[in-house]
């Protein structure tokens, strides 16, 4: 008779648990029970006395996953497991390095620096080496060094003549990297990238230590193998050369972290790396309905870089994936809000619903709509829109313009971006403020008339005060959005993030542009700041039933009854930046991201796209995402004309903007002359959103129209009527 822990497994899951000898790759599709397989496999090894707990190495990607796995194993075997090597890559490497630090010129009590400490050290080196920290921001330098470490490359292993274009052989990171590593050694410190890198050095230079661990770990188990980077892959491969009993569980269709170093090739070449490897596919899904799985499987089948599997379920068919087109982002948020209220009336819990977006700046309109409707929400994987660092900085500028005595706002931005206002200057301002009972701004006006500050610092402060005065004078003459854009540009704040080479910089710039868009709805800076204060006051209560809002990246590993997938438009999803930087590889990762989004849904999935989207403050017409056209028709329900176009047209260039061409059915493309030749210059027209206006320029299927109340707009002719 089978042990109780095996009885609840399906055939493939049980095979994965019982296959204990040799390398094994478990391709676990979304919702197929991979965590159950991993924990049961460890329980099976222990229950059959194949190894002691100390002879099992189990690697996860998060501390939370490690904790949950340990709890499940204890539950399965009926006792607490002691001695098991279970943890994240970093925690396991720390454990090894603490034992053998002296072998790589460290002391066992070495310090692990966080990002702030590492940045401070980089800044010190730049100053000593006369490297301009404006041209080469410390965060960008640290990002490059971290990327090299993720690839298992020490300072002496980098091929200076074979670097990506954005680095180049003259990049100062090449100079800073060896100095940074030496400074860390002197400080008896490491950063997070060093934990893997030093372990690799330890294993390759000290063969006796490698032999010890190869002999000790009879079984190695790895979760989320598709997310491993090169250094992690090398570390695992070295350890597995002993007993060769390595079991990697992952899903090549859910590899979505290439932008932070994950290498999908690790899972794709598993059979090559481990000759004789056995591959087991977990394809029975316990989460989603057949229609959701069918849509997701049909979409991901378009990818070429995959090992292949087909998910299936015994659940009832359920509802088809619903595709909805809306006029713009505002209507998108309104539609989702209305659907949420309708679902609530049908007894669906808010906590079992989620809104998934491609980019973080998309959350603002949903947040504000949910606030209007009084629907509790929480943003997962990041702060709410108005709580983000770059937004709070921008708001501080607007607060100071609106109220010069706002000392908190003054202190936040006086040196953001860097203006050379050091701690001594700020201490002087605070001294005046306290002693005379005035604001920091008033203190600044007083101190620039004295010799308390050095010449350059005094001039910098005086120029800043002039800027604030000039911006305040424009309040009566400029719209809040135009003023905000001017302030962000002239203050150097926008440029600061444009120069920042860190992975999150582009997202921060998009959020700033979304802030400018948000300001267009308000007549004054003051009314906007009041609105933001009310939004911020609506703090999320974790005990209240609330809907989740998050990016698709943050949604991985989660599941909900109802999922709203917003913003499925070309350029936004797939994201144009991904396509532009990595071409077909980027497109396939974006498609995997779409697959992840769809497979988060248990019962219903809604895909929404807008035919107009305000980008960088101006209206642009949008085309539905190419992914919509790739969904199998039998699994989707669409009542929109634009969606029908998506499936009737094909895309010519997968790495550039979508181009829709006539299909064999003979239907005309969106740029057919018949749809726009009637709108000549001078024609009076009507637009459902912008009202009446006159065509002043025509170019293809787009025209420039001077609207009576909305001003000059570029629109697609299919949305115009002759007035």
């Amino acid at each position: 008779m089978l042990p109780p822990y095996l009885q609840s497994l399906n055939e493939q899951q049980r095979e994965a648990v019982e296959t204990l000898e040799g390398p094994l790759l478990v391709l676990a599709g979304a919702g197929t029970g991979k965590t159950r397989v991993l924990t049961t496999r460890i329980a099976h090894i222990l229950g059959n006395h194949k190894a002691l707990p100390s002879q099992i190495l189990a690697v996860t990607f998060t501390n939370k996953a490690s904790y949950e796995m340990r709890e499940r194993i204890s539950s399965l075997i009926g006792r607490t497991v002691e001695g098991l090597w279970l943890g994240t890559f970093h925690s396991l490497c720390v454990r090894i390095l603490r034992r053998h630090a002296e072998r790589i010129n460290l002391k066992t009590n070495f310090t692990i620096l966080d990002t702030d400490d590492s940045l401070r050290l980089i800044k010190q080196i730049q100053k000593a080496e006369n490297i301009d920290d404006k041209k080469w921001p410390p965060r960008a330098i640290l990002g490059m060094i971290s990327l090299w470490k993720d690839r298992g490359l020490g300072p002496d292993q980098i091929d200076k003549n074979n670097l990506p274009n954005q680095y180049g052989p003259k990049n100062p990171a090449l100079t800073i990297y060896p100095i940074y590593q030496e400074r860390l050694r002197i400080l008896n410190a490491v950063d997070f990238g060093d934990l893997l890198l030093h372990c690799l050095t330890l294993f390759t230079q000290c063969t006796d230590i490698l032999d010890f661990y190869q002999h000790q770990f009879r079984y190695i188990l790895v979760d989320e193998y598709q997310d491993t980077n090169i250094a992690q892959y090398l570390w695992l491969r070295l350890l597995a050369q002993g007993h060769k009993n390595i079991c990697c569980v992952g899903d090549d269709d859910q590899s979505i972290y290439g932008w932070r170093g994950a290498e999908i090739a690790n899972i794709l070449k598993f059979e090559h790396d481990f000759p004789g490897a056995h591959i087991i596919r977990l394809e029975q899904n316990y989460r989603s309905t057949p229609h959701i799985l069918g849509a997701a499987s049909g979409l991901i089948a378009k990818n070429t870089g995959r090992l292949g599997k087909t998910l299936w379920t015994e659940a009832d068919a359920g509802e088809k994936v619903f595709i909805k087109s809306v006029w713009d982002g505002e209507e998108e948020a309104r539609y989702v809000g209305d659907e949420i209220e309708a679902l609530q009336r049908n007894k669906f819990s808010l906590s079992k619903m989620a809104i998934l977006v491609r980019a973080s700046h998309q959350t603002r309109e949903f947040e504000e709509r949910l606030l209007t409707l009084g629907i509790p929400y929480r943003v997962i994987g990041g702060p709410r829109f108005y709580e983000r660092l770059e937004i709070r900085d921008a708001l501080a500028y607007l607060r100071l313009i609106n109220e010069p005595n706002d000392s908190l706002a003054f202190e936040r931005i006086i040196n953001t971006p860097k203006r050379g206002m050091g701690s001594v200057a700020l201490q002087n301002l605070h001294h005046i403020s306290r002693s005379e009972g005035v604001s920091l701004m008033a203190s600044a006006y007083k101190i620039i008339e004295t010799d308390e500050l050095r010449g350059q610092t005094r001039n910098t402060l005086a120029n800043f005060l002039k800027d604030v005065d000039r911006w305040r004078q424009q309040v009566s003459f400029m719209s809040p959005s135009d003023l905000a854009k001017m302030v962000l540009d002239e203050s150097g704040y926008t440029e600061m993030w444009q120069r920042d080479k860190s992975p999150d910089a582009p997202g921060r710039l998009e959020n700033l542009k979304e802030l400018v868009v948000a300001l267009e709805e308000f007549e004054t800076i003051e009314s906007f700041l009041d609105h933001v204060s009310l939004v911020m006051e609506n703090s999320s209560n974790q005990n209240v039933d609330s809907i989740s809002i998050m990016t698709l990246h943050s949604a991985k590993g989660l599941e909900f009854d109802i999922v709203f997938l917003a913003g499925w438009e070309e350029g936004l999803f797939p994201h144009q930046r991904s396509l532009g930087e990595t071409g077909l590889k980027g497109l396939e990762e974006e498609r995997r991201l779409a697959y992840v989004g769809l497979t988060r849904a248990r019962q219903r999935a809604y895909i929404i796209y807008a035919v107009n989207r305000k980008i960088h403050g101006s209206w642009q017409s949008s085309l539905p995402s190419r992914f919509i056209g790739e969904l199998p028709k039998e699994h989707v329900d669409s009542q929109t004309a634009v969606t029908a176009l998506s499936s009737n047209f094909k895309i010519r260039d997968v790495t550039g903007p979508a181009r829709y061409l006539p299909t064999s059915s003979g239907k005309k493309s969106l740029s057919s002359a018949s749809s726009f030749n009637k709108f000549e210059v001078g024609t009076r027209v009507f637009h459902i959103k912008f009202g009446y206006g006159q065509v002043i320029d025509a170019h293809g299927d787009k025209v420039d129209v001077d609207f009576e109340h909305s001003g000059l707009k570029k629109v697609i002719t299919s949305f115009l009527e002759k007035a």
Side-chain angles (χ1 to χ4, degrees), residues 437-488:
V438 296
S439 67
L440 289 179
M441 180 74 108
S443 302
Y445 281 114
K446 288 178 176 292
I447 205 169
I448 61 173
E449 301 299 330
T450 72
D451 295 321
E452 295 288 344
L453 301 179
R454 292 179 299 175
Q456 183 59 44
T457 303
R458 186 169 66 246
N459 291 338
T460 297
L461 182 57
N463 289 333
F464 174 74
L465 296 177
K466 288 178 183 177
D467 285 339
V468 175
D469 286 341
R470 179 165 46 81
W471 296 331
R472 293 196 73 225
Q473 291 169 9
Q474 296 299 318
V475 168
S476 301
F477 305 102
M478 297 181 71
S479 68
S481 61
D482 288 340
L483 178 61
K485 189 175 187 304
M486 182 179 76
V487 170
L488 292 172

Side-chain angles (χ1 to χ4, degrees), residues 295 298-299 302 587 591 625-632 646-647 651:
L299 174 65
K302 303 294 183 183
L587 174 62
R591 190 177 283 113
S625 169
R626 65 190 75 188
F627 299 151
I628 293 177
E630 294 173 356
L631 297 171
S646 177
S647 59
I651 298 168

Side-chain angles (χ1 to χ4, degrees), residues 208-505:
D208 58 318
I209 294 176
L210 177 60
D211 289 342
F212 172 81
Y213 286 106
Q214 284 180 341
H215 178 75
Q216 175 174 338
F217 297 132
R218 297 184 60 84
Y219 292 96
I220 298 174
L221 299 92
V222 188
D223 192 13
E224 304 286 9
Y225 188 61
Q226 78 280 350
D227 293 333
T228 53
N229 60 36
I230 294 175
Q232 292 162 345
Y233 157 78
L234 293 172
W235 186 79
L236 288 168
R237 191 174 178 189
L238 282 170
L239 288 173
Q241 295 309 308
H243 295 280
K244 294 185 170 57
N245 295 328
I246 181 170
C247 170
C248 294
V249 180
D251 185 1
D252 51 328
D253 292 334
Q254 295 189 69
S255 178
I256 59 174
Y257 297 120
W259 51 278
R260 69 181 189 195
E263 182 54 69
I264 190 174
N266 292 349
I267 194 170
L268 296 179
K269 63 180 183 177
F270 187 87
E271 286 182 284
H272 177 268
D273 291 334
F274 300 98
H278 190 47
I279 296 182
I280 297 173
R281 288 171 168 80
L282 302 185
E283 297 175 309
Q284 183 175 0
N285 179 279
Y286 294 92
R287 176 188 301 159
S288 305
T289 65
H291 279 310
I292 291 172
L293 292 181
S297 296
L299 174 65
I300 200 63
K302 303 294 183 183
N303 272 8
T304 58
R306 63 192 296 260
L307 296 172
K309 59 186 171 303
T310 303
L311 298 184
W312 62 276
T313 179
E314 294 179 343
D316 293 335
E319 297 189 21
K320 293 183 178 182
V321 174
F322 186 70
I323 300 173
K324 172 72 175 178
S325 67
V326 294
W327 180 252
D328 58 12
E330 182 180 341
E331 186 184 338
E332 179 181 52
R334 191 163 56 247
Y335 166 74
V336 171
D338 291 346
E339 285 296 309
I340 292 170
E341 287 190 312
L343 289 165
Q344 272 190 296
R345 288 193 293 271
N346 287 322
K347 308 304 181 185
F348 280 94
S349 169
L350 288 176
S351 63
K352 295 182 179 179
M353 303 183 208
I355 301 170
L356 308 185
V357 297
R358 173 60 181 86
S360 61
H361 68 85
Q362 293 173 256
T363 69
R364 182 190 65 84
E365 285 182 304
F366 292 108
E367 290 185 54
E368 301 209 4
R369 183 60 185 168
L370 294 177
L371 282 170
T372 300
L373 296 174
I375 297 175
Y377 74 89
R378 55 185 181 139
V379 177
I380 306 296
R384 293 180 297 168
F385 183 80
Y386 291 114
E387 293 173 344
R388 292 175 177 131
L389 177 144
E390 65 277 9
I391 300 301
R392 292 177 75 92
D393 287 345
L395 290 175
Y397 276 98
L398 299 180
R399 284 165 51 194
L400 193 63
I401 291 169
N402 184 65
E403 173 50 78
N405 292 322
D406 188 337
S407 293
L408 292 175
F410 180 94
E411 187 170 16
R412 184 179 184 99
I413 64 173
I414 185 58
N415 215 29
T416 306
K418 298 294 184 185
R419 297 186 176 89
M421 293 293 297
S423 58
V424 174
L426 287 174
Q427 287 172 7
N428 287 335
L429 289 175
H430 277 289
H431 174 74
I432 296 173
S433 175
R434 287 192 300 270
S435 62
E436 299 192 17
V438 296
S439 67
L440 289 179
M441 180 74 108
S443 302
Y445 281 114
K446 288 178 176 292
I447 205 169
I448 61 173
E449 301 299 330
T450 72
D451 295 321
E452 295 288 344
L453 301 179
R454 292 179 299 175
Q456 183 59 44
T457 303
R458 186 169 66 246
N459 291 338
T460 297
L461 182 57
N463 289 333
F464 174 74
L465 296 177
K466 288 178 183 177
D467 285 339
V468 175
D469 286 341
R470 179 165 46 81
W471 296 331
R472 293 196 73 225
Q473 291 169 9
Q474 296 299 318
V475 168
S476 301
F477 305 102
M478 297 181 71
S479 68
S481 61
D482 288 340
L483 178 61
K485 189 175 187 304
M486 182 179 76
V487 170
L488 292 172
D489 289 344
E490 292 185 358
S491 66
Y493 192 77
T494 300
E495 183 183 11
M496 179 186 81
W497 287 114
Q498 288 172 337
R499 289 180 176 275
D500 194 307
K501 305 299 182 186
S502 60
D504 58 346

Side-chain angles (χ1 to χ4, degrees), residues 299 358 552 567-580 583-584 586-594 623-628 630 651 653-658 660:
L299 174 65
R358 173 60 181 86
L552 287 160
W568 279 43
E569 299 134 33
E570 283 295 312
L572 182 56
F573 190 45
H575 202 287
Q576 191 58 46
R577 188 169 63 245
S578 295
L579 304 187
L584 182 60
L587 174 62
E588 295 214 340
E589 180 155 322
E590 291 285 294
R591 190 177 283 113
R592 292 194 292 271
L593 198 54
L623 291 173
S625 169
R626 65 190 75 188
F627 299 151
I628 293 177
E630 294 173 356
I651 298 168
D653 180 4
V654 298
T655 60
Y660 287 75

